[in-house]
Amino acid sequence: MDLDSGLIESPSLALAVHCLGERHRADPVTVLLAAVALQLAAYTGEDEAALRVPAGGFRLDCAPSRYRHEPVGSLLRRAEVAYEDSRPDGCWFADRRCDATGATGVRGAARLSAVVPRDPAPAGARFFLCLLRLGPTAELRLCAAHGFLGRRGPLGFLSDLERVLVRATGTSTTAGLYAAVR
């Protein structure tokens, strides 16, 4: 399979994830998964996003018609219980952090780069997002089947993900998030 890949290293994304997690009493990885699910659903035009995680599956209903004005905290609580024993095909998330320290308030511009993946994506994966670090800086690597994410590709997806999470810190409902991902 022909894969495109990208890497983001972003203090702003890390700060937003930790801030949202603290504000809504949610694990930072849950915050990240919820944002990825919203954005993946928007990119693919689906009402639901499913990601395969090592322990099972993660499926989150992202239909704007049902959840446009939902409080962000409710979205994160739905994401916490979204883990199930399903095996969604094609989209994967792996947590490979080596640094799990808390955010320090560091802000800065993201560094985006096209990369050659160190780990091959799982067989049949069309979307493989790997969390490498989530401390003062978030580091995420994304591999996607060529064309799966449209013209924007992995670098556009990662840049948009950062924008959505930073925007989420200033909103109390998901309406702003849906506007950011659409």
Side-chain angles (χ1 to χ4, degrees):
M1 182 178 294
D2 190 17
L3 295 175
D4 297 328
S5 60
L7 175 78
I8 187 171
E9 295 174 86
S10 171
S12 297
L13 190 149
L15 184 62
V17 164
H18 287 288
C19 177
L20 287 164
E22 288 173 18
R23 183 182 310 152
H24 299 289
R25 288 177 250 179
D27 180 78
V29 174
T30 300
V31 173
L32 184 61
L33 278 170
V36 168
L38 277 174
Q39 189 162 319
L40 187 57
Y43 265 64
T44 60
E46 300 291 331
D47 282 345
E48 183 177 79
L51 297 166
R52 192 168 183 173
V53 294
F58 175 86
R59 186 177 305 273
L60 185 63
D61 186 344
C62 302
S65 59
R66 289 190 288 276
Y67 298 108
R68 178 171 290 290
H69 299 290
E70 174 183 38
V72 171
S74 295
L75 168 72
L76 296 177
R77 282 188 291 284
R78 283 192 310 110
E80 285 177 337
V81 298
Y83 288 100
E84 58 186 47
D85 194 26
S86 68
R87 299 285 181 201
D89 294 328
C91 296
W92 287 73
F93 174 84
D95 186 349
R96 302 243 172 99
R97 285 176 287 170
C98 54
D99 174 14
T101 60
T104 62
V106 176
R107 288 191 171 102
R111 192 176 87 181
L112 286 164
S113 56
V115 295
V116 175
R118 289 178 285 207
D119 306 338
R126 293 176 292 162
F127 178 97
F128 181 56
L129 182 64
C130 187
L131 175 59
L132 301 170
R133 191 167 31 134
L134 187 56
T137 296
E139 184 175 356
L140 296 150
R141 183 176 57 240
L142 174 59
C143 297
H146 185 70
F148 180 69
L149 296 173
R151 293 187 322 251
R152 304 228 349 110
L155 292 177
F157 187 94
L158 292 169
S159 178
D160 289 345
L161 181 64
E162 178 190 46
R163 182 176 43 83
V164 165
L165 282 161
V166 169
R167 188 174 198 175
T169 62
T171 186
S172 60
T173 68
T174 56
L177 301 181
Y178 281 106
V181 299
R182 305 261 174 219

